[in-house]
């Protein structure tokens, strides 16, 4: 990023103070100035605060007077290392002579009753633990009910609580072991089902790939995000299996029709051949017994008629079988075309065909899933909207094919730099959205800044020309009860502000 003159930065800082409706305090001015300049100014030395502390520190003993003089000198010279030495000296010395004298502290009276707020917290902890245990062990639920009832009584006695809590935790250890074994067994069975699907669908590359992805997603340790991914993939597998089953049944019916027609025509040919053979044998006997040409002529006429009929039947049968074969081949071609369309539609249903990132549909599903998870877990979630700088110039100067390659380059670098759980989606044109789970806004800004630095080290090559791809971004942390649309809108406003402030910047909403 090129250095900007200080007067330009100061002018933009005053504009931002007015735009954001902030008080023109030195702190606000310095924070926005640093944000626009992309640097962090050194914190001012707190002379006034240290002078107030200096007036309160005692200086009766020679050692205290010596440290007090060093304190005054360090404040006057703005010397942090000198202040550190003074504070260490006071810590070793004590602030007053009385501090060195041992002070007798009365031993606290033993507590025999559990505080009510702590008792309520323990009761809530037990209530929240029970749903994870299932309903298999009725005894542990009874003990938990007795324990929570006791905890919610006025002034629960600690000795009684310790006895009841010890019995409950002992029983709880067995219940948790059983539940862990049940989960492990169910997970193993689920993995075997996915493995079986992959084996049975060896001739279907898409279905086999989905089954292998399910096997990977169901490998411990499981998280709610991975379970959501398993659910989405299972929906795709069920849809594809339903389509495949329908096509299989259709193909089977087509083969049945072909075989039935072939057997019928074969029977007709056999019957016609038998009749023709009988006619030929009878005509041969008549010819053998004929005594004159007049007797042979009618027999020859019959032979010719039977032969023409046989030839006509054979031709008709051949034509019907040929037509049936053509219809069968056309049907198989139609089924194959449908298979290709389904594969292509499945691949493009949630992904952008150019960059391989999520498209708007995939982004909507991912945002719904991540927002639900963030609010369920009470975890932060950030939306980052980034827009490639000067993308129109790249298209105009080098062509749209180079622009498309630049988009692919950005998506590739982003996937390599960001975390596996971060989700990248093409929002439209040269705009992308990044979902950053478990990320506060400060960490989101830092992550996008790190991505900018990586892009500066990975030039986009067009022939022998190196092209630097940069972007401006806005980062917004999801607020309570805020929709994804509103969060992205705030991120878009910050991105626009980053563009106005000189591009290749990241700003928090």
């Amino acid at each position: 990023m090129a250095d900007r003159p200080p007067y330009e930065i100061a002018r933009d800082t005053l504009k931002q103070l007015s735009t954001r409706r902030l008080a023109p305090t030195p702190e606000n001015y310095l924070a926005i100035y640093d944000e626009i300049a992309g640097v962090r100014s050194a914190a001012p030395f707190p002379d006034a605060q240290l002078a107030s502390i200096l007036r309160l520190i005692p200086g009766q003993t020679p050692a205290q007077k010596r440290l007090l003089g060093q304190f005054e000198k360090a404040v006057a010279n703005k010397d942090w290392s000198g202040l550190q030495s003074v504070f260490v000296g006071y810590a070793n010395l004590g602030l007053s002579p009385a501090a060195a004298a041992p002070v007798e502290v009365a031993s606290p009276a033993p507590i025999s009753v559990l505080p009510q707020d702590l008792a309520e917290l323990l009761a809530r902890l037990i209530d929240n633990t029970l749903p994870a245990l299932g309903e298999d062990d009725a005894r542990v639920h009874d003990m938990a009910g007795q324990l929570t009832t006791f905890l919610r009584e006025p002034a629960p006695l600690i000795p009684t609580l310790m006895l009841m809590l010890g019995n409950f935790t002992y029983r709880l250890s067995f219940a948790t072991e059983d539940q862990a074994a049940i989960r492990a067994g169910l997970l193993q069975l689920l993995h075997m089902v996915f493995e079986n699907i992959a084996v049975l669908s060896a001739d279907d590359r898409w279905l086999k790939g989905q089954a292998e992805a399910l096997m990977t997603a169901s490998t411990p340790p499981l998280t709610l995000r991975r379970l959501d991914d398993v659910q989405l993939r299972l929906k795709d597998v069920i849809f594809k299996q339903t389509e495949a089953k329908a096509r299989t049944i259709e193909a089977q019916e087509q083969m049945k029709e072909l075989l039935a027609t072939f057997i019928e025509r074969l029977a007709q040919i056999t019957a016609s051949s038998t009749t023709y053979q009988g006619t030929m044998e009878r005509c041969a006997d008549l010819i053998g017994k004929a005594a004159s040409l007049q007797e042979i002529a009618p027999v020859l006429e019959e032979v010719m008629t039977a032969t023409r009929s046989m030839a006509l039947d054979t031709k008709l049968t051949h034509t019907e079988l040929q037509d049936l074969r053509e219809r069968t081949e056309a049907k198989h071609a139609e089924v194959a075309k449908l298979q290709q369309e389904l594969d292509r539609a499945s691949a493009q249903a949630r992904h952008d065909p150019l960059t391989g990132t999520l498209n708007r549909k995939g982004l909507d599903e991912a945002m719904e899933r991540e927002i639900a998870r963030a609010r369920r877990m009470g975890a932060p979630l950030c939306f980052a909207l980034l827009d490639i700088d000067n993308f129109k110039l790249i298209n105009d100067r080098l062509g749209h094919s180079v622009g498309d390659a630049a988009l692919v380059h950005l998506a590739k670098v982003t996937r390599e730099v960001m975390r596996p759980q971060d989700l990248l989606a093409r929002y439209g044109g040269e705009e992308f959205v990044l979902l950053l789970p478990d990320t506060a806004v400060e960490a989101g800004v830092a992550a996008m800044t790190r991505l900018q630095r990586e892009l500066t080290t990975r030039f986009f090559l067009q022939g022998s020309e190196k092209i630097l791809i940069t972007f401006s971004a806005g980062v917004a942390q999801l607020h309570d009860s805020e929709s994804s649309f509103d969060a992205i809108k705030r991120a878009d406003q910050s991105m626009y502000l980053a563009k106005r402030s000189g591009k290749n910047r990241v700003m928090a909403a």
Side-chain angles (χ1 to χ4, degrees):
M1 179 184 68
D3 293 333
R4 300 179 60 193
Y7 67 87
E8 289 187 5
I9 301 176
R11 181 184 60 202
D12 289 344
T13 302
L14 293 174
K15 289 182 179 179
Q16 290 303 314
L17 282 172
S18 175
T19 302
R20 302 183 189 184
R21 298 181 180 178
L22 297 176
T25 62
E27 293 80 8
N28 289 340
Y29 182 91
L30 182 61
I32 296 180
Y33 186 97
D34 290 349
E35 179 180 315
I36 296 176
V39 298
R40 183 178 294 277
S41 303
F45 193 85
D47 307 72
Q49 293 85 346
L50 291 174
S52 300
I53 297 174
L54 185 62
R55 288 193 296 269
L56 300 176
I57 294 178
Q60 290 84 13
T61 66
Q64 289 177 349
K65 292 179 180 179
R66 177 177 55 82
L67 289 173
L68 194 59
Q70 294 178 1
F71 194 101
E72 292 176 347
K73 182 179 179 180
V75 172
N77 296 332
K78 296 182 171 55
D79 182 9
W80 284 107
S81 60
L83 284 173
Q84 179 180 352
S85 301
V86 171
F87 291 147
V88 172
Y90 272 116
N92 294 330
L93 178 64
L95 294 179
S96 66
V103 178
E104 295 184 1
V105 180
S107 300
I111 301 175
S112 60
V113 176
L114 192 68
Q116 194 63 38
D117 53 350
L118 180 58
E120 179 61 26
L121 287 176
L122 285 174
R124 291 180 184 177
L125 175 63
I126 296 171
D127 289 338
N128 294 332
T129 302
L130 289 180
L133 300 178
E135 302 293 336
D136 297 335
D137 193 339
R139 178 59 180 159
V140 75
H141 284 269
D142 293 340
M143 295 177 68
Q146 296 172 8
L147 186 55
T148 54
T149 301
F150 176 74
L151 285 169
R152 290 189 170 105
E153 291 179 353
L157 297 176
I158 290 181
T160 306
L161 173 63
M162 292 180 64
L163 179 61
M164 296 178 66
L165 197 57
N167 294 334
F168 174 70
T169 53
Y170 180 73
R171 185 78 183 190
L172 184 64
S173 64
F174 293 104
T176 52
E177 289 178 3
D178 291 343
Q179 291 299 316
I182 291 173
R183 284 193 296 270
L186 288 175
L187 193 58
Q188 185 177 5
L189 288 174
L190 185 64
H191 201 271
M192 291 173 63
V193 170
F194 294 153
E195 186 177 1
N196 188 47
I197 292 175
V199 172
L200 293 177
S201 58
D203 57 340
D204 191 324
R205 288 177 296 176
W206 182 89
L207 196 57
K208 181 178 175 64
Q210 289 291 79
E212 290 175 349
L214 286 172
M215 292 169 61
T216 302
S218 61
T219 302
L222 286 181
T223 62
L224 289 175
R225 183 182 293 109
R226 295 183 69 182
L227 286 176
D228 289 339
D229 184 55
V230 170
Q231 182 181 9
L232 287 176
R233 290 186 179 276
L234 269 179
K235 288 181 179 179
D236 286 341
V237 169
I238 292 172
F239 170 76
K240 188 67 180 294
Q241 283 182 328
T242 303
E243 293 292 327
K245 183 178 180 181
R247 291 194 301 271
T248 301
I249 294 175
E250 185 178 8
Q252 288 175 348
E253 294 298 326
Q254 188 74 25
M255 290 301 298
K256 287 179 182 180
E257 180 184 354
L258 175 62
L259 289 174
T261 305
F262 179 75
I263 292 172
E264 180 182 354
R265 294 297 180 266
L266 187 61
Q268 291 177 359
I269 292 174
T270 303
S272 299
S273 299
T274 303
T275 303
Y276 180 72
Q277 184 177 0
T279 302
M280 292 300 102
E281 290 177 353
R282 184 172 56 80
C283 289
D285 290 340
L286 291 175
I287 291 173
K289 295 177 182 179
S292 64
L293 289 176
Q294 289 77 9
E295 294 178 358
I296 294 176
V299 177
L300 290 177
E301 183 68 26
E302 184 179 357
V303 169
M304 292 176 64
T305 302
T307 301
R308 282 196 297 268
S309 177
M310 181 65 182
L312 181 60
D313 289 344
T314 302
K315 183 178 180 180
L316 289 174
T317 302
H318 179 269
T319 302
E320 290 179 357
L321 289 176
Q322 181 69 20
D323 180 64
L324 181 62
R325 188 185 69 176
E326 292 175 356
R327 287 191 290 114
T328 302
E329 290 176 351
K331 196 66 177 179
H332 281 303
E334 182 181 349
V335 170
K337 182 180 179 181
L338 177 61
Q339 172 75 31
Q340 293 175 357
E341 291 176 354
L342 284 172
D343 289 342
R344 185 169 56 254
S346 177
Q348 295 179 353
R350 295 182 178 87
H351 292 83
D352 174 54
L354 175 63
T355 61
T357 62
L358 294 174
N359 59 16
R360 292 294 288 268
K361 179 181 179 182
L363 175 63
D364 289 342
E365 293 180 355
M367 288 191 299
E368 181 181 357
R369 182 172 66 251
E370 291 300 333
I371 289 175
R373 176 188 173 275
R375 286 175 175 160
R376 184 171 61 245
M377 304 295 294
L381 174 64
C382 271
F383 295 79
L385 181 68
L386 62 92
D387 184 274
I388 297 180
D389 296 327
N390 305 317
F391 186 72
K392 186 176 184 300
L393 294 178
I394 296 176
N395 276 337
D396 294 343
R397 187 170 68 88
L398 301 173
H400 289 278
S401 61
V402 178
D404 290 344
L407 295 176
V408 174
H409 174 75
L410 173 64
K412 178 177 180 294
V413 174
T414 302
R415 281 192 291 262
E416 292 174 355
V417 171
M418 305 304 288
R419 304 171 301 176
Q421 62 267 37
D422 298 332
L423 300 173
L424 177 65
R426 187 178 180 187
Y427 198 61
E430 66 272 20
E431 287 185 333
F432 291 83
V433 169
L434 262 168
L435 290 184
L436 306 173
D438 304 315
T439 305
V441 64
E442 296 84 4
V445 171
M448 299 306 293
T449 305
R450 184 172 64 252
L451 176 58
Q452 284 182 327
R453 288 198 301 268
E454 285 292 330
L455 275 172
T456 60
T457 65
R458 305 188 190 191
F459 286 94
F460 168 59
L461 297 177
Q462 174 58 29
S464 59
E465 182 179 359
K466 292 182 178 180
I467 303 173
L468 177 62
I469 304 296
T470 65
F471 65 83
S472 302
V475 181
Q477 182 175 341
L478 183 71
H479 294 163
D480 294 339
S481 71
E482 183 182 32
S483 68
S484 58
F485 174 81
D486 292 334
I488 291 181
K489 184 177 180 181
R490 290 193 295 111
D492 181 66
Q493 292 171 348
S494 295
M495 183 270 292
Y496 179 73
L497 183 60
K499 290 275 190 184
R500 292 289 302 274
S501 300
K503 300 182 180 179
N504 196 25
R505 300 172 182 272
V506 180
M507 286 195 175

